[in-house]
Amino acid sequence: MNVRRVTIKDVAEKANVSKSAVSFAYNDPSKLSEATVEHIMQTAEEMGYVRSATARALRTNSSNALGLLLPQGIDTILQNPYYSLLIQGIGQVCQSEGYTLMLVPPLRGSMLKAIPTAAVSGFIICGLEAERAEVVEILNKHVPVVIVDPAQSINVPTVEVDDEHDFEDLVDRLIDLGHRNIGIAAIETKSHTDYPRWQGIVGRRMASVVRALKKHNLSPEDKEITVIETPCTYQGGADVFNKMWNDTNLEYRPTAIVSFSDIIALGVLGAAQQQGLRVPEDLSITGYDDLPLSTICTPRLTTVHQPITSKGRLAAESLIEQIRFDEGALPVSHKKLGTALIVRESVGAAPLNK
């Protein structure tokens, strides 16, 4: 059951005062007695009424803004073209429906500090684990919310992709091509260093890798398999290549590197070519996302396509539907989009001398 957002009317009825009195308590308390203000405030707190910039926007419905809650600073986020495509989809809906979009990064390193300052009508959350304190904070305040790529099943609207089989097939293809020394360039989680505890998209992609390896009697624990977390940036990919190629025993240098995003894969590709390697003759490289850049690099990137812009568009449509449905009793929707394995020239047979 979806929890209805607490409104100024609810507080007024519970406190047995007028809606105007509640408004005065927050905006002009001098017009009320001290006892009345204290009574209203105590009632509001007990009911979980939101006392923030977000609350004012929700009460008046005047912000006409959607908030995109980001896991990192805007400067870091925009190094990954994934977010440009996601924002493009959200922006298409904002433009057609008369909304603006506010990017909400951590404030002084904290999402909890950023949330109350965002005067928005609701949040699209991406790149966060569902049990993180900042997400719980929003849900407890009954603010309209949609989670993109949730970490686990959760009783709020979600939009995600069903990619397990395609990513597993990608690793299968590498192993069928003779690759046994495989590097895994995973998106940095910052929550758990041991991969079995990874959650969300990183956890799901790693689970697909594990299943593919297991079918061939391989495991991430094998010395031939190297797993490294890295920021989801071009430089993060370059750093992973340098660690795997230069800091690993020669016998176990990877013949293939599986990247959890295209931007990481492009960083791997650039660093490999800078070191004089031929792709895919010396090293096969794969990505995930199917960014436009993956079709114009040389060689073109083998990857898993996900409909990023459509994901943003569906998330925005779902959020606006909630905002406009005053009673908050809409059925909780969980939307899943398909993916596709795209095979291009960055993958080839394992070198015989490895």
Side-chain angles (χ1 to χ4, degrees), residues 1-63:
M1 181 179 68
N2 198 18
V3 180
R4 187 173 70 85
R5 186 172 70 249
V6 178
T7 68
I8 191 172
K9 180 181 178 182
D10 297 326
V11 175
E13 291 178 350
K14 182 72 173 179
N16 197 27
V17 297
S18 68
K19 289 167 57 178
S20 297
V22 178
S23 180
F24 287 144
Y26 281 97
N27 302 310
D28 194 0
S30 63
K31 292 187 176 182
L32 304 173
S33 70
E34 185 175 335
T36 300
V37 171
E38 183 177 348
H39 172 60
I40 291 172
M41 290 298 188
Q42 184 176 349
T43 302
E45 184 174 351
E46 290 172 354
M47 297 179 71
Y49 182 62
V50 187
R51 298 169 59 187
S52 64
T54 301
R56 289 192 296 275
L58 289 170
R59 288 198 304 272
T60 63
N61 198 26
S62 61
S63 75

Side-chain angles (χ1 to χ4, degrees), residues 232-243:
C232 196
T233 62
Y234 184 93
Q235 186 59 50
D239 291 343
V240 161
F241 169 79
N242 289 324
K243 289 178 183 177

Side-chain angles (χ1 to χ4, degrees), residues 64-127:
N64 284 330
L66 308 185
L68 178 58
L69 193 64
L70 301 169
Q72 297 169 301
I74 293 176
D75 57 339
T76 301
I77 286 294
L78 292 183
Q79 292 182 53
N80 183 1
Y82 166 89
Y83 283 99
S84 296
L85 294 172
L86 185 74
I87 291 170
Q88 186 180 119
I90 297 171
Q92 289 171 359
V93 177
C94 287
Q95 184 169 333
S96 65
E97 298 296 328
Y99 282 78
T100 58
L101 177 62
M102 177 182 291
L103 302 185
V104 187
L107 179 62
R108 296 188 294 277
S110 171
M111 290 307 309
L112 290 177
K113 293 177 182 176
I115 291 168
T117 68
V120 299
S121 299
F123 284 101
I124 296 171
I125 302 175
C126 59

Side-chain angles (χ1 to χ4, degrees), residues 41-224:
M41 290 298 188
Q42 184 176 349
T43 302
E45 184 174 351
E46 290 172 354
M47 297 179 71
Y49 182 62
V50 187
R51 298 169 59 187
S52 64
T54 301
R56 289 192 296 275
L58 289 170
R59 288 198 304 272
T60 63
N61 198 26
S62 61
S63 75
N64 284 330
L66 308 185
L68 178 58
L69 193 64
L70 301 169
Q72 297 169 301
I74 293 176
D75 57 339
T76 301
I77 286 294
L78 292 183
Q79 292 182 53
N80 183 1
Y82 166 89
Y83 283 99
S84 296
L85 294 172
L86 185 74
I87 291 170
Q88 186 180 119
I90 297 171
Q92 289 171 359
V93 177
C94 287
Q95 184 169 333
S96 65
E97 298 296 328
Y99 282 78
T100 58
L101 177 62
M102 177 182 291
L103 302 185
V104 187
L107 179 62
R108 296 188 294 277
S110 171
M111 290 307 309
L112 290 177
K113 293 177 182 176
I115 291 168
T117 68
V120 299
S121 299
F123 284 101
I124 296 171
I125 302 175
C126 59
L128 298 174
E129 297 171 5
E131 66 277 11
R132 289 271 296 270
E134 51 266 27
V135 178
V136 174
E137 175 85 359
I138 293 174
L139 300 182
N140 285 345
K141 291 182 180 301
H142 309 156
V143 178
V145 63
V146 174
I147 297 181
V148 175
D149 292 323
Q152 58 193 30
S153 298
I154 189 167
N155 193 36
V156 298
T158 60
V159 179
E160 59 186 315
V161 294
D162 183 3
D163 60 356
E164 294 181 1
H165 296 297
D166 290 315
F167 207 55
E168 185 176 336
D169 289 347
L170 182 149
V171 180
D172 263 335
R173 176 175 289 269
L174 290 173
I175 298 173
D176 289 340
L177 288 168
H179 295 279
R180 294 297 183 273
N181 299 353
I182 299 174
I184 309 298
I187 298 171
E188 189 174 43
T189 64
K190 293 186 178 180
S191 58
H192 301 294
T193 56
D194 48 335
Y195 73 85
R197 299 175 66 191
W198 290 348
Q199 296 181 319
I201 59 171
V202 179
R204 287 200 300 272
R205 288 174 200 173
M206 191 63 196
S208 297
V209 170
V210 171
R211 286 195 303 272
L213 293 174
K214 186 176 181 180
K215 283 189 273 186
H216 299 272
N217 296 315
L218 297 171
S219 164
E221 309 301 328
D222 295 340
K223 290 185 291 185
E224 297 86 352

